[in-house]
Amino acid sequence: MIIDTIRWNKTNVKLIDQRLLPGELKYVECFTDKDIYEAIKKMKVRGAPAIGVAGAYGVYLGARESKAKDIANFKKDLKKTIKYLAAARPTARNLFWALEEMEKVIIKYQDKSISLVKNMLFKKANDILKEDIKICRTLGKHGAKLFKKNSTVLTHCNAGGLATGGYGTALGVILSAAKKIKQVYADETRPVLQGGRLTVWELVKYKIPVILICDNMAASRMAEGKINAVVVGADRISSNGDTANKIGTYNLAILAKYHKIPFYVAAPVSTFDLLSKTGKDISIEERSPDEVRKMGNKNLTVKNVRVENPSFDVTPVKLITAIITERGVIQRPTRTKIKKVIE
Ligand code: MRU
């Protein structure tokens, strides 16, 4: 099952406005790099691989708008576009990876005409999207082998088709293992509710049994033996395996360790950041306090109370049972094992 999270639409990029789900399935059209920047920043499109794909199309749209008459000025325009798009969100490695891939195309064809570079950038963005779907399917197949019959699995945030080109990482594993999965527990995932809104929406669509729980309920479900495994996605993985993912992932990893439940991270190779030595090197996005203070327009607390709202946390590698990638499963990840698979 593939979700059309983000697609090329004749003259523009069409993407699902994920802020409106599950109430409304509405698409927005992006015609410029500014539209893509806004879509990423405001989380119309979210999830590490999906914002990578969006970023790639953003570079093409920026190239399309350039009025440069010679390749040197065209390159200058593109440099600005890439810098601009890179500032949309800081944590997901895939955005930066995709922008770097687009930059390689510019460098490769810098001796050619502007129109050829534009065509090659368009092709590359389409390839990144197509590849992502393929990669997630492969990753899903590798991950599915880790599950026994009648498994019950907990996931956090949304690492599904909506967070990628259409198939999903953690949910891709669950989809691929669907015949062996008796029950999925979905964490609600405060404050943006990606679990409650998006993961539940996807799992209902796939007809995979799902139970929604609030984030603070996982421990009690584990203690009662209701959860056999945890599988989550990732926004950035350091070279030692420390993993940044949606805030609350670290809590689950600690709980899983205490209850002797395997804790799996599912992510494509493009999520690894070999330049970051440990999780300490990962920049964690701080989002608006109103995400915590309010639900829609309704105040949930005392107006203007001080809030901290880190969007991600880092799970230390020692809490991770395995990292599932398209190149295979890295059991008990270490720097050496990661290097061998990723490089
Ligand atoms: O803030 P978001 O919704 O972009 O955060 C998304 C996550 O944390 C996902 O779990 C992660 O990107 C993996 S998506 C395949």
Side-chain angles (χ1 to χ4, degrees):
M1 181 111 194
I2 296 287
I3 293 177
D4 53 356
T5 308
I6 173 162
R7 296 290 180 264
W8 182 253
N9 176 39
K10 289 184 191 139
T11 58
N12 56 69
V13 175
K14 185 175 142 193
L15 50 90
I16 295 177
D17 187 344
Q18 300 191 29
R19 300 169 308 171
L20 305 178
L21 286 172
E24 197 183 341
L25 176 60
K26 190 178 161 200
Y27 293 84
V28 287
E29 292 179 334
C30 299
F31 292 88
T32 63
D33 53 351
K34 187 165 184 291
D35 293 342
I36 293 282
Y37 174 90
E38 291 289 316
I40 297 174
K41 180 115 192 133
K42 295 187 174 156
M43 291 175 74
K44 293 177 193 169
V45 61
R46 34 67 49 203
I51 67 175
V53 173
Y57 279 118
V59 176
Y60 167 65
L61 292 176
R64 192 173 72 173
E65 284 162 66
S66 170
K67 303 270 182 294
K69 296 273 181 288
D70 58 78
I71 197 91
N73 281 312
F74 181 59
K75 270 174 70 186
K76 266 191 211 155
D77 283 354
L78 287 178
K79 213 171 173 172
K80 268 193 229 153
T81 301
I82 289 174
K83 200 169 164 206
Y84 170 64
L85 290 166
R89 290 191 76 187
T91 305
R93 167 68 193 142
N94 309 61
L95 172 61
F96 301 88
W97 170 84
L99 296 176
E100 285 162 18
E101 289 296 301
M102 298 301 276
E103 201 165 8
K104 282 183 202 163
V105 171
I106 300 162
I107 293 167
K108 186 168 173 193
Y109 296 102
Q110 60 186 334
D111 298 332
K112 308 280 185 217
S113 67
I114 292 177
S115 75
L116 184 123
V117 180
K118 284 184 187 174
N119 288 343
M120 295 322 278
L121 288 172
F122 180 57
K123 182 180 177 309
K124 186 69 190 179
N126 286 326
D127 287 349
I128 288 175
L129 168 60
K130 260 193 272 163
E131 266 299 293
D132 177 80
I133 297 171
K134 220 163 106 188
I135 284 168
C136 287
R137 281 188 187 280
T138 310
L139 179 160
K141 277 188 198 143
H142 290 311
K145 294 186 192 130
L146 298 167
F147 293 90
K148 296 195 192 100
K149 250 190 143 221
N150 292 323
S151 288
T152 52
V153 186
L154 171 66
T155 189
H156 189 67
C157 192
N158 172 267
L162 288 166
T164 62
Y167 191 74
T169 55
L171 282 197
V173 170
I174 288 172
L175 250 181
S176 302
K179 286 198 180 114
K180 296 193 273 181
I181 307 254
K182 192 169 81 186
Q183 185 67 60
V184 178
Y185 281 87
D187 256 357
E188 183 182 37
T189 320
R190 279 272 293 153
V192 179
L193 307 181
Q194 292 93 331
R197 296 185 303 105
L198 310 176
T199 296
V200 168
W201 182 78
E202 284 196 39
L203 289 170
V204 167
K205 218 172 158 63
Y206 308 150
K207 299 194 170 52
I208 295 177
V210 57
I211 292 174
L212 174 66
I213 57 172
C214 299
D215 302 335
N216 50 5
M217 295 170 186
S220 90
R221 299 303 86 179
M222 287 184 187
E224 287 185 8
K226 287 188 167 166
I227 291 164
N228 303 143
V230 179
V231 58
V232 295
D235 283 81
R236 190 180 288 251
I237 304 177
S238 297
S239 56
N240 72 335
D242 289 350
T243 294
N245 191 49
K246 182 52 57 198
I247 193 76
T249 302
Y250 179 29
N251 306 32
L252 286 185
I254 295 171
L255 293 178
K257 184 82 166 178
Y258 182 80
H259 292 96
K260 300 190 174 53
I261 293 166
F263 182 88
Y264 300 122
V265 171
V269 165
S270 53
T271 303
F272 286 78
D273 177 5
L274 295 186
L275 294 179
S276 89
K277 280 200 176 124
T278 72
K280 289 204 174 78
D281 299 326
I282 300 175
S283 154
I284 300 291
E285 177 181 14
E286 183 74 25
R287 292 189 62 85
S288 161
D290 278 349
E291 284 183 353
V292 178
R293 289 190 195 123
K294 291 179 169 187
M295 191 73 76
N297 290 329
K298 194 179 178 321
N299 270 319
L300 297 177
T301 181
V302 176
K303 225 178 167 190
N304 295 330
V305 63
R306 257 186 78 187
V307 161
E308 291 186 357
N309 185 16
S311 196
F312 304 95
D313 58 24
V314 175
T315 299
V317 65
K318 61 179 175 233
L319 299 178
I320 298 172
T321 311
I323 304 178
I324 305 159
T325 77
E326 70 272 30
R327 296 192 189 156
V329 176
I330 311 172
Q331 290 282 358
R332 294 281 159 213
T334 62
R335 198 181 290 282
T336 318
K337 287 189 201 171
I338 289 172
K339 199 168 174 217
K340 218 169 137 190
V341 172
I342 305 307
E343 272 191 354

